[in-house]
Amino acid sequence: MVQFRFMKAFSLFLVLTMVVVLAACSGGNGNNSGSNASPSVKASDTPKESSQEPSEQASEEPAKEENVTVKFGNFSGSGDTAKYLTQMQEAFQKEHPNIKIDIETIAYGDYFTQMQTRVAAGQAPDAYELNYENFVSYAKKGVLLDINPFFDATQFDKSTLNAQALNAFSADGVQYGMPGSFSNVLLFYNKELFEKAKVDLPTKDWTWKEFDEAGAKIRALDKNTYGVFQPIQFHEFYKLVQQNGGSLLNADKTAFTVNTPENVETLQRIVDRVLKTNIMPTQAQLSGVGDWDLFKSGRLGMIVTGVWAFSDFMKNVTFEWDVAVEPGNKKKATHFFSNGLVINKDSKVAEAAFEWIKFLSSSKEAAQIRVDAGWELPAVTYPDVLESYLKLTPPSNRQAVFDSLEYLVTPPVIEQFGEMADILGIHLTAASEGAKTAQQALDDAQKELTDKIKL
């Protein structure tokens, strides 16, 4: 039954993903090929070799495997999850002793700026991680390698991955990447603070009203305890406005709608949590303490964050905690994050790079490492792996991960996604610090986005 519920929800998530990605990728560049594949590693049927005459191929001696190094850039293996990526690296290299994986991990906040610069300079790693939001932009720039020839050459079993998840990282029929993982966002809460404040525990039916009321009662416990934390930034805002019936773009995605009354009301609500009711701490009150650290210290009642926190919280939280589907307002909406794995079209070791991303994406071994670590969810179809994910505790209500998939909304994926997110983020920060009213911040954002972003 659990598996059935998961597969139903997961399928819904993937269908949603597919619809948006395909729509966003309609202008994708399909001008890549596998011509840069190295002939020195395992899968010998490279696009270059397949162009030879059959008689010529038959007369050749088997290619001798040479030692190669694949440079791999990523952001999701930073911090506490680094050791799990190392486990995958070691498992892969045991199976492929001639392929060394040189991992470079860059913090998420710097990753896309650095990667954009390196791609422009022709210095991108052989393989690298791209999130769903940025994939379209890179595909359109023609900097990614078509991996279809490698699927054919290695007779890759696509049934190990959900078909829709795989298609999500394609554009115009060209497969530019493989899905690495996905994750979503939940409401995490400190059960002990709820009991101390005599507040009912969160349910999946909660709205902003119950969320704020519980936060206020927990905030009242003492001056150093806060009720809620929900970052005021682009990724939270695009989702929150949809909970309130708003959006950042019009229906046909030809114009920004950032400063509509629904969106202004949304921003005012979350700013009030900081500056008016103070159920959420200001930057000064945080004094450099991170939001996760505040929760782990037992001084925060609720935090809205991703399932990638499971790994850290399972090890480092000493009080009782659990999760619930995050609250909505006029409707429920929660976002998801999906990370894909791509190959630099100019890589000299593309075939080895494919072996590496194939292992990360579809191998049962890598999937089980990810599940055991509580490090997001693999996009694989192995039922036993997915069942084992649900059995892990805490949190007790891990089923909320899959219940949330019923309310997924996707970010506005455009070619200038990074620039759009940066512009809106600057104005949201100004509002959260009291430098601008909510109305002024979104009026300014609307003007700047309209002037600088091409839709």
Side-chain angles (χ1 to χ4, degrees), residues 356-378:
W356 168 237
I357 67 168
K358 184 179 69 172
F359 178 85
L360 289 178
S361 173
S362 63
S363 76
K364 197 167 187 177
E365 191 166 7
Q368 194 63 60
I369 290 172
R370 190 179 289 280
V371 166
D372 290 345
W375 179 25
E376 302 180 332
L377 277 168

Side-chain angles (χ1 to χ4, degrees), residues 379-392:
V380 297
T381 55
Y382 308 117
D384 52 337
V385 173
L386 300 174
E387 287 283 0
S388 66
Y389 178 83
L390 281 173
K391 291 178 181 175
L392 292 173

Side-chain angles (χ1 to χ4, degrees), residues 49-114:
E49 289 169 339
S50 62
S51 65
Q52 295 173 302
E53 295 297 328
S55 58
E56 182 183 350
Q57 289 181 318
S59 64
E60 290 181 344
E61 294 292 329
K64 181 181 179 181
E65 292 186 348
E66 298 177 2
N67 294 328
V68 296
T69 297
V70 174
K71 294 183 177 178
F72 175 63
N74 79 101
F75 57 86
S76 65
S78 62
D80 202 43
T81 53
K83 55 181 173 290
Y84 307 120
L85 183 58
T86 300
Q87 288 180 24
M88 296 178 187
Q89 175 195 26
E90 292 172 348
F92 173 80
Q93 291 183 165
K94 188 176 295 183
E95 293 181 8
H96 302 79
N98 65 312
I99 302 175
K100 177 185 176 184
I101 304 300
D102 183 3
I103 293 176
E104 180 184 13
T105 301
I106 301 171
Y108 180 81
D110 300 323
Y111 183 80
F112 291 100
T113 301
Q114 288 195 31

Side-chain angles (χ1 to χ4, degrees), residues 20-32 116 119 128 130-146 168-172 174-177 253 342-343 345 412-417 453-455:
V20 174
V21 170
L22 288 179
C25 294
S26 59
N29 188 327
N31 193 32
N32 293 323
Q116 189 172 23
V119 167
Y128 53 100
L130 280 180
N131 60 6
Y132 164 75
E133 296 91 325
N134 283 286
F135 166 74
V136 173
S137 176
Y138 281 69
K140 286 187 175 182
K141 289 175 182 174
V143 298
L144 306 180
L145 184 66
D146 174 10
F169 288 95
S170 66
D172 285 351
V174 179
Q175 194 72 40
Y176 288 115
K253 302 184 187 307
V342 299
I343 300 174
K345 77 175 181 64
V413 177
I414 62 173
E415 189 167 355
Q416 289 176 270
F417 177 84
I453 303 296
K454 182 180 179 182
L455 296 175

Side-chain angles (χ1 to χ4, degrees), residues 217-349:
K217 291 179 179 177
I218 293 171
R219 180 71 177 103
L221 288 173
D222 65 70
K223 66 178 182 179
N224 293 318
T225 299
Y226 297 91
V228 306
F229 193 92
Q230 186 168 20
I232 302 178
Q233 34 92 308
F234 173 84
H235 282 96
E236 285 297 324
F237 190 66
Y238 91 74
K239 172 193 64 181
L240 285 166
V241 298
Q242 294 192 58
Q243 292 178 1
N244 200 35
S247 65
L248 300 183
L249 295 172
N250 62 359
D252 58 5
K253 302 184 187 307
T254 57
F256 286 102
T257 56
V258 170
N259 60 343
T260 61
E262 294 86 355
N263 294 356
V264 172
E265 181 184 46
T266 301
L267 181 56
Q268 188 64 58
R269 181 87 174 212
I270 57 180
V271 167
D272 283 349
R273 290 172 183 163
V274 180
L275 302 180
K276 186 176 180 181
T277 63
N278 195 216
I279 61 175
M280 175 169 155
T282 65
Q283 287 300 313
Q285 289 169 327
L286 283 171
S287 299
V289 175
D291 51 350
W292 282 17
D293 289 334
L294 187 66
F295 184 78
K296 288 187 287 186
S297 72
R299 296 172 50 214
L300 180 61
M302 295 174 280
I303 181 170
V304 177
T305 191
V307 298
W308 53 89
F310 284 174
S311 175
D312 188 343
F313 289 4
M314 288 170 73
K315 296 180 180 66
N316 300 311
V317 172
T318 57
F319 51 82
E320 282 194 78
W321 62 280
D322 209 340
V323 296
V325 176
E326 67 175 302
N329 195 38
K330 295 177 181 175
K331 67 176 186 178
K332 290 278 189 180
T334 187
H335 46 203
F336 80 100
F337 298 91
S338 181
N339 299 327
L341 304 163
V342 299
I343 300 174
N344 175 6
K345 77 175 181 64
D346 294 324
S347 172
K348 305 303 181 187
V349 292

